[in-house]
Amino acid sequence: QPRLAESGGGSVQSGGSLRLSCLVSEYPMSGYNMGWFRQAPGKEREGVAAITNEGSTTYADSVKDRFTITRDNDKNTLSLQMNRLQTDDTATYRCAAIWGRLTADRALEMMTRGDSGYWGRGTQVTVSS
């Protein structure tokens, strides 16, 4: 089964940028739908973005036009470029992988629910005002 490890989190001021990475090992990433979800203390898990194994993408309304998800199958790496960060973006971000012929929306829904698939331990993003 694939192992996922996130990196790139940190502390930034509102309006700043961060780039998260997720390295997939033990299994090729190319066949998996990939995505990011986040969870802040006291809040429910929220799907952020997903990209299918064919490259289709979807984003939560709250991050649309600010975040960009990309994948590099040759490097087994998933990325999330986060621009114009806001305090509400503060959370632990986790990447996820799920197998199957799915739309991006369906993949993100399943990753967020945690019904199936694999995910990493997370990286913390803190945005201060």
Side-chain angles (χ1 to χ4, degrees), residues 5-31:
E6 303 91 342
S7 61
S11 297
V12 64
Q13 287 194 319
S14 180
S17 299
L18 283 173
R19 185 176 182 88
L20 305 183
S21 293
C22 174
L23 179 64
V24 180
S25 59
E26 307 296 334
Y27 204 86
M29 187 182 79
S30 57

Side-chain angles (χ1 to χ4, degrees), residues 4-6 20-24 29 32-38 46-53 56-59 68-71 77-80 93-99 102-104 106-112 118-120:
L4 287 68
E6 303 91 342
L20 305 183
S21 293
C22 174
L23 179 64
V24 180
M29 187 182 79
Y32 284 89
N33 305 287
M34 302 295 298
W36 295 90
F37 62 90
R38 66 188 182 185
E46 178 187 15
V48 175
I51 183 167
T52 68
N53 51 19
S56 297
T57 60
T58 191
Y59 297 89
T68 303
I69 187 171
T70 56
R71 63 189 296 160
T77 300
L78 176 74
S79 297
L80 185 69
Y93 286 71
R94 302 173 76 176
C95 66
I98 189 164
W99 189 264
L102 304 169
T103 65
R106 179 62 175 155
L108 187 60
E109 176 188 357
M110 294 177 68
M111 292 171 191
T112 305
Y118 309 93
W119 49 89

Side-chain angles (χ1 to χ4, degrees), residues 45-125:
R45 184 183 294 189
E46 178 187 15
V48 175
I51 183 167
T52 68
N53 51 19
E54 296 181 349
S56 297
T57 60
T58 191
Y59 297 89
D61 287 343
S62 59
V63 307
K64 204 170 291 185
D65 299 326
R66 298 190 297 122
F67 290 11
T68 303
I69 187 171
T70 56
R71 63 189 296 160
D72 186 336
N73 291 333
D74 291 337
K75 295 182 179 179
N76 264 8
T77 300
L78 176 74
S79 297
L80 185 69
Q81 178 66 42
M82 306 187 295
N83 298 328
R84 303 199 309 277
L85 283 160
Q86 304 167 357
T87 54
D88 286 348
D89 295 319
T90 295
T92 297
Y93 286 71
R94 302 173 76 176
C95 66
I98 189 164
W99 189 264
R101 191 178 179 87
L102 304 169
T103 65
D105 286 338
R106 179 62 175 155
L108 187 60
E109 176 188 357
M110 294 177 68
M111 292 171 191
T112 305
R113 287 211 312 258
D115 287 348
S116 59
Y118 309 93
W119 49 89
R121 300 184 68 176
T123 186
Q124 177 67 35
V125 171

